[in-house]
Amino acid sequence: MSALAAGLAGCGGDEGEGAVDTLIVSAASSLTEPLEAYGETTDTDERFSFAGSDELAAQIRKGAPVDVFASATTSLPDALFEEGLVEEPEVFISNQLVLAVPSDSPIVGLGGLEREDVDLVIGAEGVPVGDYTRDVLDKLPAGASAAILDKVRSEEPDVKSIVGKLVAGAADAGFVYASDVSATNGELIALELPPDLEPVVAYSAAVVRDAGNPKSAQEFVDSLVDGEAHDLLLDADFLEPEGE
Amino acid sequence: MLAASLAVAIAFLTIPVAAIFFDAGPSDLVEALGDDTTIDALRLSLVTSAVALGLIILVGTPVAYLLATRRFRGRAIAITLIELPLVLPPAVAGVGLLVALGPQGFLGGIAADAGIELVFQTAGVVVALTFVASPFYIRQAQSAFEALDPSWLEASRTLGASEARTFARIAIPAAVPGLVTGGALAWGRALGEFGATLVFAGSFQGITQTAPLAIVELFGSDLNGALALSAVLIAFAAALLATVKLTSRGRGFGLVVD
């Protein structure tokens, strides 16, 4: 919420072109740490608004003056592109959906979720991490999928609130991205999903069509695709996107 | 100049509220209300906020009476502590509740031993709402009791009524308008609660997803649904405010001193 508030506060900035370039970036929650680190290295004043990608897309649809949209899925930027709201989106990074558990957890995989009495937290429907999770569960036999959904205690609006519930010890397991687990510095561990269940998690970014600052916006997207921002994402355990 | 600032203030404060009703047509709003996410959320919001309000009135009324009628060491500190949630960011309240009453919180173990589960449970929503809303009631109730003419309470005691009887038969009836106002304000705050609920209790349809949480979830996927739920909350808030205005105008029982 604070990121959202900061983003909205940034919207009031009608001061025109100052000495420092201001760029409003609406980005998926999972991009928080690496993009903030990237922001420190640039001369541009990036104002990040981190939230669930679906919420950010809805804000752009309602005319929020955003320069760059970086989403945890390709479908939302594609939809905005078709609606004429953003320039052509570019896939810039990929991630791995994992089952995150506290480092001292006895759970070792999906089977544990099915059998044990656990409190599971997932993303809400429509939030990319929630949709990827449902894709995975849909591939399981109906009984297993139902048994796991039965353990869901909360559907969170973005991936960082899932991580928060796990780190605080409120929940026993959650489906998040591998990079989110790395960002907890060992408090959580990532249990990989069987390869045949793993969804393709591709992130794409686009310059918003009415961007107040199209040049810096394009530079930002370029950096996500193959510049310094891209390298920082890889350092944070994001993955190279699969060949287009 | 003064009139212009009044016009600006009114426009600023009412246009966003009015826009909720105009952004989608009335028929879209009514249709969106039929969705089971919205119905579950409204039902849960009503139930949890009503239970929270009941708890707040039950415990808050004697607390407010005590604070209004007694002078004791630490009274100012007690009042400050009780009012703290008023100025606390709701997310902070949620984190605080989680680290105190969550499974790994220092009171969480005791609660778990007693078979009380709060996190991810409807009871946790009630706790979050009670936490953030109670100062709204207690403050208002305290000033209602403070406004009573002390000689009436004195007379009751002189005539042999016990302290409890004086409180129940004299103080409460005389303070009713103020208590109703406090209750309405607390109820309004509880209905609007978002941050503490999400952080402490989570968001699950029918269990912990109150109307404000559902609004945020729907905002990403079903804007009309979000608008429809918002419209219902506005109507309810308006009704609460009207209650406050009506009760504070009339019935003072002649006991309230200015």
Side-chain angles (χ1 to χ4, degrees):
Chain A
M1 282 312 281
S2 65
L4 184 81
L8 291 176
C11 300
D14 247 350
E15 312 84 68
E17 309 299 300
V20 182
D21 254 353
T22 304
L23 194 66
I24 298 171
V25 179
S26 286
S29 230
S30 47
L31 297 166
T32 306
E33 293 85 1
L35 289 197
E36 277 178 347
Y38 173 65
E40 311 261 299
T41 69
T42 63
D43 297 330
T44 312
D45 172 25
E46 287 92 357
R47 308 229 174 122
F48 292 110
S49 168
F50 295 107
S53 301
D54 61 321
E55 210 170 290
L56 298 170
Q59 288 172 349
I60 291 170
R61 286 202 172 98
K62 281 286 156 192
V66 174
D67 295 303
V68 174
F69 177 41
S71 158
T73 166
T74 55
S75 59
L76 288 165
D78 285 350
L80 292 182
F81 176 59
E82 272 171 30
E83 291 163 37
L85 294 170
V86 302
E87 304 296 338
E88 185 156 11
E90 291 182 73
V91 175
F92 63 95
I93 207 82
S94 134
N95 212 335
Q96 191 184 10
L97 190 76
V98 297
L99 182 63
V101 295
S103 52
D104 56 357
S105 172
I107 299 167
V108 293
L110 283 181
L113 284 190
E114 236 182 286
R115 290 185 302 269
E116 314 289 330
D117 177 24
V118 294
D119 290 337
L120 177 65
V121 181
I122 65 175
E125 223 169 311
V127 183
V129 72
D131 287 346
Y132 291 130
T133 301
R134 285 169 181 78
D135 290 347
V136 169
L137 297 180
D138 282 346
K139 287 186 211 159
L140 292 171
S145 159
I148 291 176
L149 282 173
D150 200 43
K151 309 288 163 61
V152 174
R153 301 287 175 264
S154 184
E155 300 185 351
E156 302 284 328
D158 60 57
V159 71
K160 290 299 177 200
S161 23
I162 304 176
V163 172
K165 290 281 193 300
L166 292 171
V167 170
D172 304 312
F175 287 96
V176 300
Y177 304 117
S179 60
D180 297 305
V181 174
S182 305
T184 68
N185 294 319
E187 291 204 50
L188 302 182
I189 51 173
L191 306 174
E192 291 194 9
L193 304 176
D196 54 321
L197 293 181
E198 252 183 38
V200 176
V201 179
Y203 288 60
S204 74
V207 174
V208 178
R209 193 147 282 175
D210 292 328
N213 198 345
K215 186 169 158 289
S216 300
Q218 188 58 54
E219 283 168 11
F220 191 91
V221 172
D222 291 345
S223 180
L224 285 173
V225 174
D226 58 5
E228 201 175 336
H230 188 83
D231 295 340
L232 286 167
L233 287 167
L234 293 177
D235 289 347
D237 289 339
F238 284 77
L239 304 166
E240 288 290 359
E242 288 169 34
E244 291 289 284
Chain B
M1 175 63 191
L2 290 177
S5 51
L6 178 65
V8 168
I10 290 179
F12 175 70
L13 295 173
T14 54
I15 286 174
V17 178
I20 295 215
F21 292 93
F22 295 126
D23 194 86
S27 60
D28 285 342
L29 290 186
V30 172
E31 193 182 326
L33 275 181
D35 189 78
D36 63 339
T37 307
T38 50
I39 291 171
D40 281 353
L42 281 174
R43 188 184 49 79
L44 185 73
S45 264
L46 275 181
V47 170
T48 52
S49 62
V51 174
L53 184 64
L55 292 172
I56 290 169
I57 291 173
L58 206 65
V59 179
T61 310
V63 167
Y65 183 70
L66 180 76
L67 293 174
T69 56
R70 299 283 192 287
R71 295 293 174 270
F72 54 91
R73 263 173 82 98
R75 177 176 171 273
I77 295 171
I79 292 175
T80 308
L81 292 177
I82 285 172
E83 289 179 354
L84 196 58
L86 280 179
V87 290
L88 213 55
V92 174
V95 173
L97 288 169
L98 194 57
V99 296
L101 300 172
Q104 295 185 359
F106 64 99
L107 293 175
I110 302 171
D113 290 342
I116 302 168
E117 268 189 77
L118 297 173
V119 173
F120 304 137
Q121 306 294 333
T122 306
V125 178
V126 172
V127 169
L129 302 190
T130 305
F131 184 86
V132 298
S134 52
F136 285 79
Y137 175 77
I138 294 176
R139 256 169 79 110
Q140 200 68 37
Q142 188 190 329
S143 38
F145 287 129
E146 276 167 356
L148 301 182
D149 188 335
S151 63
W152 284 72
L153 305 178
E154 201 52 50
S156 162
R157 287 185 206 109
T158 319
L159 293 172
S162 68
E163 189 56 44
R165 197 174 159 82
T166 304
F167 171 60
R169 293 298 178 84
I170 306 292
I172 289 184
V176 156
L179 300 183
V180 170
T181 301
L185 291 175
W187 202 0
R189 175 65 187 90
L191 277 173
E193 215 303 303
F194 175 83
T197 310
L198 178 64
V199 174
F200 180 56
S203 173
F204 194 84
Q205 190 183 335
I207 310 282
T208 53
Q209 189 178 68
T210 56
L213 294 172
I215 288 172
V216 172
E217 183 178 326
L218 290 170
F219 176 66
S221 53
D222 171 14
L223 186 63
N224 280 350
L227 289 168
L229 258 184
S230 305
V232 174
L233 289 192
I234 290 170
F236 201 88
L240 280 177
L241 199 57
T243 310
V244 170
K245 296 289 171 202
L246 289 176
T247 47
S248 59
R249 250 209 283 164
R251 328 169 32 207
F253 294 104
L255 278 175
V256 178
V257 288
D258 281 320

